Amino acid sequence: MIKKFIDKLLGKSGDASLGKARFGKRQEVAASVHGIDPALVDERAKNVVTTLQGAGFEAYVVGGAVRDLLLGLRPKDFDVATNATPEQVKSLFRRAFIIGRRFRIVHVVYGRGRDHEVIEVSTFRAYMDSAGAEQVAGNERTSKGELAGMKHAVDASGRVLRDNVWGPQEEDAARRDFTVNAMYYDPASQIVVDYHNGIKDAKKLTLRMIGDPITRYREDPVRIIRAIRFSAKLAALGFKLEPKTAAPLIESSRLLADVPQSRLFDEMLKLLQTGHAVATVAQLRKLGLSTGIYPLLDVVVERAEQPFVNAALVDTDRRVGEGKPVAPSFLLACVLWADVRDGWAQRMEARHGQRPQAPFPALQDAIDDVFNARIGDVSGRGKLAADMREIWMMQPRFDKRSGATPYSLVDQARFRAAFDFMRLRADVGEIGEAIAEWWQEFSTADDVRRQDLMDQVRDEQHKKTRQRVPARASADSSPGHRAAAPKPEAEAEAALPPDGEVAAAPRKRRRRRKPRTGGGEAGSVAAE
């Protein structure tokens, strides 16, 4: 009995019938039953399928795209599964690239620039018991040398590090995560191939893990995050996690500690940038996973109710829903803005006997501290960090609406992102609405109108200066008068360089030579 229990725990079984049951029973469901509208299928995905089939291979649209098609939704992404190897797939398309090590797949690219489309093509994979895989003691990074020649490998906890053993379609279906994601659609015959009653679960609005959930989470802990993402995405349609699928989530979440930070960072971005960020936060709280998945995600959930962060999450969902691009740098800049703003203000105050910093270096240092504390090296301090820094560094520059600053600001590559950031600040009352409206008009106006807008600002500033002088004189004469501390943005306005980059070193003043007394030509020039 003990041996049977251990075999079951490790996925072993001497019963051949159990092995067949694991792979499910193939069902071919006709269009008259499943009701998929062929017009919702992307033409490029159809082209990939027909090209592979024309070369003698099996090929189907697979995964979440089939699920969405069954629900009458137009899928955002289309994946294709085939019995062709990655090398065979690559040879059939002009622009195809083999990527990945853990799972080798092919990206078939259509179009160029922002309008390009990627169809992801994967080869049917064999169902492999973790007990039969090669084992390494470390992870992807520490065992890179060992893993180089392995096709199927796990670490000591049973997490799959390599899974590139090809097999038949029924085994490929068994190794997918949820039943509603394990269906195959042939655009030519319009037949859906279903091994695990995915169509029934889709009709029952149920998210059910294929196989034993505890074992599947152990094989790949990122499935925990996928469960959260799918349940959040489909919650609006009434989908719920099956109780057996949901029950081990909290206990299994400790396995995420062994997943590389870079992969967790990418999965966090998927949670927040697929158009269901607000629903994801709600789902994390509902499932008891509001903390512990990833430190930066903990911050997002903690601050989700703050007006500024909530506005950023809602705006991100709106943009995705409208088919507009979203950048992780923008959302993360919103989430961490409170840390930057508070650290900036503290550095500009005299504290613990230290001299206050000038506004520009104070802001730079505050940003560096936030990167070190919240993000670390996971982003490589590359483009994401650079974009976040630019968004933050431009904020005080919006207060300066005179001289050459407005013209140079609107010409910068990240102006639109920085403006949208400032626009959200105005929406929640952090800055004046008038400033946001001024920059909105200035950014789209012609040169004549821009000059009018700048003249209006200059006149308003002169008027305020005339009103302020007598009031200040009266206030200064009153006993116990204390000047109010200026806001960081206002104090930084004159201190920041025009282009928002590195401040130039101050010019040394040349001391004027005293004129010589005693008449003569030199004396007359000095007198003039």
Side-chain angles (χ1 to χ4, degrees), residues 32-177:
S32 59
V33 178
H34 60 64
I36 288 177
D37 181 359
L40 295 176
V41 183
D42 187 278
E43 288 298 324
R44 289 158 290 199
K46 287 182 183 178
N47 178 261
V48 171
V49 171
T50 55
T51 299
L52 287 163
Q53 289 176 346
F57 298 107
E58 296 179 64
Y60 301 83
V61 173
V62 69
V66 183
R67 177 201 65 223
D68 290 349
L69 289 169
L70 282 169
L71 297 172
L73 306 174
R74 186 179 295 277
K76 181 182 177 183
D77 301 305
F78 283 83
D79 297 337
V80 170
T82 178
N83 62 346
T85 65
E87 290 76 14
Q88 290 170 329
V89 174
K90 186 177 187 301
S91 69
L92 294 173
F93 299 93
R94 186 171 61 87
R95 297 182 64 209
F97 309 92
I98 299 175
I99 66 167
R101 290 187 296 271
R102 183 169 176 267
F103 299 125
R104 293 177 70 229
I105 59 177
V106 180
H107 279 180
V108 180
V109 183
Y110 291 86
R112 297 185 182 276
R114 284 191 172 183
D115 296 327
H116 81 284
E117 176 77 15
V118 174
I119 305 298
E120 190 172 284
V121 184
S122 61
T123 304
F124 294 152
R125 285 177 171 80
Y127 189 96
M128 304 288 289
D129 272 342
S130 297
E134 297 180 87
Q135 190 174 90
V136 297
N139 54 34
E140 287 95 329
R141 183 178 297 178
T142 60
S143 304
K144 187 178 289 186
E146 290 181 76
L147 290 168
M150 296 181 180
K151 289 186 176 181
H152 186 223
V154 297
D155 65 10
S157 69
R159 182 166 62 95
V160 179
L161 303 181
R162 289 291 184 274
D163 189 4
N164 291 301
V165 181
W166 318 134
Q169 186 185 45
E170 61 266 24
E171 294 189 22
D172 183 75
R175 58 165 296 281
R176 293 181 180 270
D177 45 21

Side-chain angles (χ1 to χ4, degrees), residues 192-502:
V192 170
V193 179
D194 183 5
Y195 289 92
H196 299 281
N197 296 315
I199 291 179
K200 288 184 180 179
D201 283 344
K203 289 181 179 179
K204 292 189 297 183
L205 306 180
T206 298
L207 279 171
R208 178 168 60 88
M209 182 71 71
I210 297 172
D212 175 50
I214 296 176
T215 303
R216 304 308 303 280
Y217 294 142
R218 186 171 64 245
E219 290 173 349
D220 185 3
V222 169
R223 287 188 176 123
I224 296 165
I225 302 177
R226 287 170 61 83
I228 296 164
R229 177 153 58 90
F230 289 133
S231 60
K233 176 180 179 178
L234 301 172
L237 298 175
F239 273 79
K240 293 183 179 179
L241 284 168
E242 180 210 24
K244 289 182 180 179
T245 300
L249 284 173
I250 295 177
E251 178 64 24
S252 299
S253 63
R254 59 184 175 79
L255 298 170
L256 289 167
D258 296 324
V259 177
Q261 291 291 294
S262 58
R263 190 176 178 209
L264 287 178
F265 184 81
D266 291 340
E267 290 296 329
M268 177 197 71
L269 295 183
K270 289 179 184 178
L271 284 176
L272 301 176
Q273 292 194 119
T274 53
H276 308 90
V278 174
T280 293
V281 170
Q283 196 69 10
L284 284 165
R285 289 172 174 164
K286 179 181 177 181
L287 295 172
L289 294 167
S290 56
T291 60
I293 289 182
Y294 187 68
L296 193 52
L297 183 61
D298 294 349
V299 178
V300 175
V301 177
E302 177 190 337
R303 299 180 179 179
E305 299 302 321
Q306 295 178 5
F308 185 58
V309 176
N310 181 258
L313 294 171
V314 171
D315 188 63
T316 298
D317 287 349
R318 176 188 63 80
R319 289 183 64 87
V320 174
E322 294 174 356
K324 296 179 180 178
V326 293
S329 55
F330 182 86
L331 182 57
L332 294 182
C334 291
V335 171
L336 299 178
W337 170 240
D339 295 342
V340 172
R341 183 190 59 211
D342 294 347
W344 184 20
Q346 290 171 7
R347 281 168 177 75
M348 290 168 56
E349 297 175 1
R351 307 188 78 185
H352 307 297
Q354 296 180 348
R355 296 180 61 183
Q357 284 184 266
F360 184 72
L363 180 55
Q364 287 184 313
D365 289 349
I367 291 172
D368 288 340
D369 284 352
V370 169
F371 281 148
N372 291 333
R374 298 295 193 186
I375 295 182
D377 294 328
V378 72
S379 70
R381 292 295 177 89
K383 187 177 187 305
L384 181 139
D387 289 348
M388 292 172 66
R389 183 182 292 274
E390 282 193 68
I391 289 171
W392 287 328
M393 293 301 298
M394 285 189 199
Q395 295 311 300
R397 300 189 56 72
F398 285 112
D399 286 331
K400 190 171 184 181
R401 294 175 288 165
S402 60
T405 297
Y407 292 97
S408 64
L409 199 56
V410 296
D411 287 338
Q412 293 194 29
R414 298 296 298 168
F415 168 78
R416 179 50 55 179
F419 170 80
D420 290 343
F421 188 94
M422 183 266 290
R423 173 79 259 181
L424 281 182
R425 294 175 63 208
D427 289 344
V428 300
E430 187 176 311
I431 61 173
E433 182 73 22
I435 293 179
E437 292 176 354
W438 188 94
W439 279 101
Q440 174 66 50
E441 186 172 1
F442 185 88
S443 65
T444 58
D446 58 24
D447 289 341
V448 175
R449 180 54 183 156
R450 285 181 174 184
Q451 188 58 52
D452 288 343
L453 290 167
M454 294 178 69
D455 290 343
Q456 290 174 14
V457 171
R458 183 192 60 202
D459 294 343
E460 290 174 5
Q461 290 175 342
H462 287 173
K463 184 177 180 181
K464 288 180 181 178
T465 301
R466 288 194 298 269
Q467 292 174 346
R468 194 182 300 127
V469 170
R472 182 180 296 170
S474 173
D476 289 347
S477 62
S478 62
H481 168 72
R482 180 176 296 172
K487 292 182 178 180
E489 289 93 338
E491 196 169 316
E493 180 182 332
L496 289 174
D499 58 1
E501 300 297 332
V502 180

